[in-house]
Amino acid sequence: MLKKNAETIVSIRDVHKSFGQLEVLKGVSLDVKKGEVICVIGPSGSGKSTLIRCINALNNIQGGEINVCGIDLTDPKLDKLELRKRVGMVFQQYNLFPHKTALENIIMAPTMVLKQDRAASEKRAFELMQKVRLEGKEHAYPGELSGGQQQRVAIARSLAMNPDVMLFDEVTAALDPETVKEVLVTIKDLAQEGMTCILVTHEMGFAREVADHIYFTDNGVIVEHGPPKTFFNKAKDPRTKEFLSQIL
Amino acid sequence: MYEPVQQGKILSGIWMTIILSFYCLILSVVIGIVGAFAQGSKNRFIRGFVQGYIQFFRNTPPYVQLLFFYFALGQFTPTFSPDGWLEVPIISNVGWAIISLSFFAGAFNVEIFRAGIEAVADSTKEAAESLGFSRFQTFRYVMFPLAIRVSLPSLNNNLINLVKTTTQAYGIAVPELLYQSVTIWNDYPSAQYPTMLLVFVVYILLVGVLVMSMNSWEKRLRIPGYGQ
């Protein structure tokens, strides 16, 4: 995992975000290099999902700077389309389009947003379904698939846009334990192929195994961060220690 | 009643009712869709305009709307002259009936579709956004197709009401079924009750056909593994 010299692809500087009176992010900074896998962990309500949603402008920020693939997200004339071509996002509740088959879910964005040829998009969609180990399920509707299968279709759907960064927002939190693994394996494959991934997760084992860098958030700030080995074994901050002791 | 002239009146009345209903159904649904889309606009004035439209047409009696459209607005419509003598307004009374009733039912349809759209999870919309869909694409390919499935039962109700409300076009002399029937029983008082009975039967059949086609549409829209 030689990523020392890689370019920074996501740069977050002193980001502040409030929902009404409630300040959710109180000055968060982090950098992600190309090909890196970042895990953001922390208790519920600590702002980790909000942070990841800021990266593709689903939430807008009130202070600080975010730069993704050279796109300045604080620019009032932000081209959201350009941003979303670069950043793929997978959600906790999969959010597939229930009235479309798995295949249609995957080809919608490439044909409608990227204006790709339908035949080419379909060919790619079949490849992606194979990649997420769901060959044969192309014509199933989301309602006919298990949670884990739906989540893998959602990953394929994001990949079809050829993003530079993938965001995963607690993607295994709604799954039953047996299907968690199949989704994690898919993400691990991606990470090993060099996809830049930012994950919000509660899967500590997975974070330890796959992440290059772990960030621990609590109460709107990053309390501690480091490579998994140091983070899990030599946490310094009392809050991190307490959190880890409850989870591990 | 079985006399050819009366029979002709009834048949042409039924036909006019069908025509009125058909155009009003289509137009009011189109108005509903456009209105529901415009309600999601970022522009405050567009939203305000849709809201004003809904409040006006939903909160006033359709009969008064009909009279207003025909008599008040009808005065200002341009006319044309086919033979140099006559002055024929470009919108006939049938045209005004279609416009007025469509706007009336359309106001309800906007609200019906809005409720359907609100029933679609926000997260589904976010998924579409995060894939780079435009607001129109999100509405056209994701929100509306899901909303319509939720909306169908209430849409069904409103459209049934609309078909029955077409009888009010009688008020501006649109020769639909009720109008024709009244001319019959004015000429033949003894035919009054049987004609009324006939009108009931025709409406039961017309609405029955509508309900059946709506139900089969609902079945066709059913998504495997979704909902029940």
Side-chain angles (χ1 to χ4, degrees):
Chain A
M1 294 194 182
L2 271 175
K3 285 149 196 167
K4 287 245 163 67
N5 302 320
E7 52 171 321
T8 301
I9 198 164
V10 176
S11 153
I12 299 174
R13 285 279 158 274
D14 193 30
V15 161
H16 289 261
K17 165 77 190 168
S18 307
F19 293 106
Q21 294 290 318
L22 184 70
E23 194 174 21
V24 182
L25 299 178
K26 303 170 184 168
V28 173
S29 301
L30 65 87
D31 283 309
V32 185
K33 289 189 176 128
K34 198 169 171 54
E36 250 185 342
V37 178
I38 297 291
C39 284
V40 183
I41 62 173
S44 302
S46 64
K48 47 193 194 316
S49 283
T50 307
L51 176 67
I52 202 173
R53 288 163 56 88
C54 287
I55 298 174
N56 78 342
L58 276 181
N59 288 346
N60 44 8
I61 57 173
Q62 274 103 33
E65 277 171 34
I66 300 182
N67 193 301
V68 180
C69 310
I71 302 170
D72 177 9
L73 269 66
T74 51
D75 185 353
K77 278 182 263 162
L78 167 69
D79 184 355
K80 284 195 180 170
L81 178 58
E82 197 47 46
L83 174 71
R84 281 156 186 177
K85 283 182 194 167
R86 302 293 199 84
V87 182
M89 179 142 186
V90 185
F91 300 84
Q92 180 175 348
Q93 294 295 344
Y94 344 122
N95 299 351
L96 292 176
F97 307 130
H99 59 305
K100 300 279 181 183
T101 62
L103 193 76
E104 288 167 335
N105 262 280
I106 298 173
I107 65 171
M108 269 172 95
T111 51
M112 282 162 42
V113 179
L114 303 179
K115 313 278 179 219
Q116 279 175 7
D117 169 59
R118 192 183 161 97
S121 310
E122 258 184 39
K123 188 167 166 277
R124 172 109 169 96
F126 275 102
E127 288 165 14
L128 286 168
M129 284 295 276
Q130 208 165 11
K131 188 187 178 88
V132 298
R133 301 184 173 90
L134 281 175
E135 53 272 70
K137 296 281 186 192
E138 288 84 0
H139 300 293
Y141 283 87
E144 299 169 317
L145 299 172
S146 75
Q149 291 172 330
Q150 288 188 56
Q151 194 59 291
R152 283 182 284 156
V153 174
I155 293 172
R157 181 175 69 172
S158 279
L159 289 175
M161 294 290 281
N162 287 320
D164 295 325
V165 187
M166 286 284 283
L167 308 176
F168 296 89
D169 186 6
E170 300 195 33
V171 292
T172 55
L175 299 176
D176 47 296
E178 299 120 69
T179 53
V180 166
K181 202 177 159 207
E182 59 193 37
V183 172
L184 292 182
V185 166
T186 308
I187 300 174
K188 204 170 137 189
D189 287 349
L190 275 181
Q192 277 163 356
E193 284 165 26
M195 173 64 79
T196 313
C197 297
I198 304 176
L199 298 101
V200 166
T201 184
H202 290 299
E203 300 290 333
M204 295 305 146
F206 180 75
R208 190 199 287 257
E209 188 186 350
V210 178
D212 295 306
H213 211 86
I214 292 180
Y215 287 84
F216 174 72
T217 57
D218 189 22
N219 205 12
V221 291
I222 291 173
V223 176
E224 189 160 6
H225 65 95
K229 261 188 194 155
T230 350
F231 180 84
F232 283 107
N233 302 328
K234 296 173 193 156
K236 287 182 219 101
D237 192 278
R239 274 185 288 177
T240 321
K241 279 185 192 162
E242 194 199 333
F243 180 75
L244 290 177
S245 71
Q246 278 167 0
I247 283 199
L248 297 174
Chain B
M1 176 126 296
Y2 300 103
E3 196 195 324
V5 179
Q6 316 307 332
Q7 200 181 26
K9 278 184 177 178
I10 292 289
L11 289 178
S12 79
I14 292 176
W15 183 237
M16 178 54 77
T17 294
I18 291 175
I19 290 192
L20 265 186
S21 305
F22 177 77
Y23 284 110
C24 290
L25 288 181
I26 304 278
L27 254 177
S28 73
V29 170
V30 170
I31 292 172
I33 295 171
V34 172
F37 178 67
Q39 263 190 338
S41 166
K42 282 199 186 95
N43 187 320
R44 221 152 37 89
F45 294 102
I46 294 180
R47 288 203 310 269
F49 177 79
V50 177
Q51 204 48 40
Y53 157 70
I54 293 170
Q55 293 309 333
F56 179 77
F57 279 93
R58 206 173 53 162
N59 303 358
T60 56
Y63 189 58
V64 182
Q65 290 167 15
L66 200 65
L67 297 177
F68 175 77
F69 267 81
Y70 182 60
F71 292 111
L73 298 186
Q75 284 181 5
F76 303 108
T77 45
T79 54
F80 71 98
S81 200
D83 54 4
W85 293 96
L86 279 168
E87 274 198 28
V88 185
I90 52 166
I91 303 176
S92 65
N93 56 347
V94 178
W96 280 119
I98 291 173
I99 293 172
S100 150
L101 291 170
S102 299
F103 276 115
F104 167 68
F108 286 89
N109 286 350
V110 175
E111 288 291 275
I112 288 169
F113 289 139
R114 184 184 57 85
I117 287 164
E118 277 171 13
V120 179
D122 269 349
S123 52
T124 307
K125 191 175 163 189
E126 281 178 350
E129 273 175 40
S130 70
L131 286 167
F133 288 27
S134 67
R135 194 171 89 78
F136 178 74
Q137 286 171 329
T138 306
F139 182 85
R140 162 79 179 76
Y141 297 102
V142 180
M143 301 307 278
F144 188 73
L146 293 170
I148 185 91
R149 291 165 162 93
V150 181
S151 303
L152 269 181
S154 2
L155 182 66
N156 215 342
N157 273 338
N158 191 37
L159 296 185
I160 289 169
N161 260 328
L162 173 61
V163 170
K164 295 184 295 181
T165 313
T166 57
T167 49
Q168 300 191 352
Y170 169 55
I172 56 171
V174 173
E176 45 73 66
L177 181 60
L178 180 64
Y179 180 94
Q180 299 288 22
S181 306
V182 172
T183 65
I184 292 175
W185 71 58
N186 281 347
D187 292 346
Y188 303 93
S190 64
Q192 187 165 14
Y193 301 135
T195 314
M196 281 178 180
L197 195 65
L198 180 70
V199 172
F200 279 135
V201 170
V202 169
Y203 271 96
I204 286 171
L205 292 177
L206 278 183
V207 171
V209 170
L210 175 67
V211 169
M212 263 167 27
S213 46
M214 291 292 280
N215 284 349
S216 79
W217 191 29
E218 205 173 329
K219 272 205 196 90
R220 252 182 303 143
L221 283 180
R222 202 159 284 167
I223 309 165
Y226 184 72
Q228 303 82 22

